[in-house]
Amino acid sequence: EPEVTQTPSHQVTQMGQEVILRCVPISNHLYFYWYRQILGQKVEFLVSFYNNEISEKSEIFDDQFSVERPDGSNFTLKIRSTKLEDSAMYFCASSGWGTDNSPLHFGNGTRLTVT
Amino acid sequence: GDSVTQMEGPVTLSEEAFLTINCTYTATGYPSLFWYVQYPGEGLQLLLKATKADDKGSNKGFEATYRKETTSFHLEKGSVQVSDSAVYFCALSDQAGTALIFGKGTTLSVSS
C-alpha cells in the first residue's frame, strides 16, 4: 500500500538555525498537510496545501514557517530560525480530496529537537 | 474555536475487556468526526469516521456514534486484544473541511 514517507526521522538543531523537514506524499494525492505534536500535548494543525498554494494555515504557522512543493513529489516544511519551543514531532499527511471526503494518510513523523 | 476533549490516559486493560474512550467536541456547524490510531513507531491511521448526527462508524471491532445532543463521539470495543495497544486520537474537521482538529490522544495498553 502506498505510504507517506518523512525524512529524517529525528533532527537535532541549534536554536536560530534553519531546518527543512521533508515529506514524500502519496503520488496521486492532491492535498498536503503539516501537523505537529509537542510532547504530551495535542496534535496541532499547521498548514494545508493544494494546487501549489497554501489553502489554510493556523496561528502557529507564522513568518518563520514556509512550505514548498519543489519538484512535484516532495513537500517540505522550512523553519527559518528555530526556537526551543519548536521542538516537537512533525507529521506530514496527504489526502486525495478534502478532509471530509478522503482520509488523511500520515507519515511516521520527524522528531525535531532544538537545543 | 472548535476543539476536541478526550479522556486522559493511559488506559490499562486486560485482554478481552470492554473499552470505552470518551471524546467530546465543541464546534460551530456540523463537523465530521474521526478516530485515528497510532501504533508504536508509526504514523496516524484513520480508524473510523462519521459525517453526520447518529451515524455510527465502525472498523476492526471498534465503534463510535456521532451524538449531536451530547456532542460526543466515544470509542468502544467489546473485547480488546494486545494488538490494540496504541494511542487513539479523536478529531473533527474544521469548517473549511481542509484541516483536522485533534484531541490530545489516549494511550491504551492491553496486557495478556
Side-chain angles (χ1 to χ4, degrees), chain A residues 4 25-32 69 94-97 103-105:
Chain A
V4 175
I26 294 174
S27 62
N28 61 349
H29 281 183
L30 302 175
Y31 289 79
F32 313 109
R69 189 155 159 80
S94 68
S95 68
W97 301 99
L104 268 63
H105 293 255

Side-chain angles (χ1 to χ4, degrees), chain A residues 33 35 37 40-43 45 48 56 91 98-101 103-104 106-108, chain B residues 4 32 36 38 41-44 46 49 89 93-94 96-100 102 104:
Chain A
Y33 310 83
Y35 287 80
Q37 185 179 28
Q41 299 188 25
K42 296 185 178 191
V43 175
F45 169 72
S48 59
E56 190 178 354
F91 292 105
T99 304
D100 275 11
N101 298 315
L104 268 63
F106 284 83
N108 288 355
Chain B
V4 174
S32 294
Y36 276 78
Q38 184 181 27
E42 299 184 14
L44 284 75
L46 178 66
K49 73 174 192 179
F89 294 90
S93 59
D94 70 355
T98 58
L100 291 177
F102 285 91
K104 274 192 180 184

Side-chain angles (χ1 to χ4, degrees), chain A:
Chain A
E1 186 179 327
E3 56 184 30
V4 175
T5 56
Q6 289 185 244
T7 54
S9 56
H10 191 188
Q11 172 100 38
V12 181
T13 190
Q14 289 193 322
M15 199 166 52
Q17 296 296 304
E18 175 184 284
V19 293
I20 297 176
L21 309 183
R22 302 182 192 281
C23 170
V24 179
I26 294 174
S27 62
N28 61 349
H29 281 183
L30 302 175
Y31 289 79
F32 313 109
Y33 310 83
W34 283 100
Y35 287 80
R36 78 172 185 191
Q37 185 179 28
I38 295 171
L39 190 64
Q41 299 188 25
K42 296 185 178 191
V43 175
E44 300 171 294
F45 169 72
L46 294 179
V47 66
S48 59
F49 192 86
Y50 170 72
N51 201 27
N52 283 319
E53 59 183 27
I54 291 173
S55 52
E56 190 178 354
K57 61 182 181 179
S58 71
E59 291 174 355
I60 302 167
F61 195 87
D62 61 21
D63 291 343
Q64 292 299 312
F65 291 89
S66 62
V67 289
E68 197 176 33
R69 189 155 159 80
D71 56 13
S73 62
N74 290 282
F75 180 52
T76 61
L77 174 69
K78 184 194 290 186
I79 309 175
R80 258 180 272 283
S81 177
T82 50
K83 302 188 277 287
L84 293 176
E85 54 265 37
D86 293 327
S87 295
M89 182 72 92
Y90 287 81
F91 292 105
C92 173
S94 68
S95 68
W97 301 99
T99 304
D100 275 11
N101 298 315
S102 69
L104 268 63
H105 293 255
F106 284 83
N108 288 355
T110 293
R111 181 168 297 285
L112 176 66
T113 303
V114 182
T115 61

